Amino acid sequence: MPTWIWGQDQQWELHRQITMPYGLYRGPDHRSAPSQPQVLNRVLVQYRYTGTQLAILRLRPIIGDRDFHHIQQKDDELTFSQMVGPNQVFLQAFRAGKAGTPWQLHWSQGHYQPEGAWY
């Protein structure tokens, strides 16, 4: 897995690993009712901090929700739904009544602060 390490040989280290598991998903009831398998395209990013010093890691997910052939443009019809739960948030874009790609973010410690910033 691609791994980045910051602070190596110091009092702390921050590791980031990225993996893109690929597979088929049939759903929880696939044994009792046949269903069409869905291809799961996912990107998993994991951060791990080790050290004796207290640290704060701030991450800002930037989601374009566009086809990779197009450039990002401001769109007043683009809105995002955010459902925040304990150590997780579910995000999804909506444009002209159509749902975009669903995103799930999970973490073991810390909190999520919703922002409506445009870049």
Side-chain angles (χ1 to χ4, degrees), residues 13 40 47 49 57 63 80 97 100 109 118:
E13 284 187 1
L40 292 180
Y47 288 89
Y49 172 78
L57 177 63
I63 300 171
F80 279 89
Q109 294 180 20
W118 166 256

Side-chain angles (χ1 to χ4, degrees), residues 50-70:
T50 56
T52 57
Q53 301 173 7
L54 180 63
I56 296 174
L57 177 63
R58 294 176 193 214
L59 303 173
R60 180 171 285 148
I62 299 176
I63 300 171
D65 201 56
R66 61 174 173 80
D67 184 286
F68 70 93
H69 292 293
H70 297 92

Side-chain angles (χ1 to χ4, degrees), residues 16-107:
R16 177 178 62 194
Q17 290 186 325
I18 298 178
T19 185
M20 297 175 68
Y22 176 82
L24 296 177
Y25 176 74
R26 289 193 174 272
D29 60 347
H30 71 276
R31 290 188 182 116
S32 61
S35 63
Q36 280 292 92
Q38 296 176 337
V39 175
L40 292 180
N41 294 313
R42 300 173 289 173
V43 176
L44 304 176
V45 181
Q46 179 182 18
Y47 288 89
R48 183 171 45 89
Y49 172 78
T50 56
T52 57
Q53 301 173 7
L54 180 63
I56 296 174
L57 177 63
R58 294 176 193 214
L59 303 173
R60 180 171 285 148
I62 299 176
I63 300 171
D65 201 56
R66 61 174 173 80
D67 184 286
F68 70 93
H69 292 293
H70 297 92
I71 60 172
Q72 186 71 33
Q73 296 179 352
K74 185 169 183 176
D75 185 348
D76 292 331
E77 291 184 23
L78 179 65
T79 60
F80 279 89
S81 169
Q82 300 184 53
M83 294 181 358
V84 181
N87 295 350
Q88 64 183 348
V89 63
F90 298 94
L91 304 161
Q92 190 164 23
F94 291 91
R95 180 183 289 115
K98 293 184 179 180
T101 304
W103 296 81
Q104 299 177 27
L105 306 174
H106 302 268
W107 56 91

Side-chain angles (χ1 to χ4, degrees), residues 5-15 49-55:
I5 302 173
W6 294 275
Q8 192 170 12
D9 298 327
Q10 297 179 18
Q11 297 294 319
W12 58 272
E13 284 187 1
L14 178 64
H15 295 238
Y49 172 78
T50 56
T52 57
Q53 301 173 7
L54 180 63

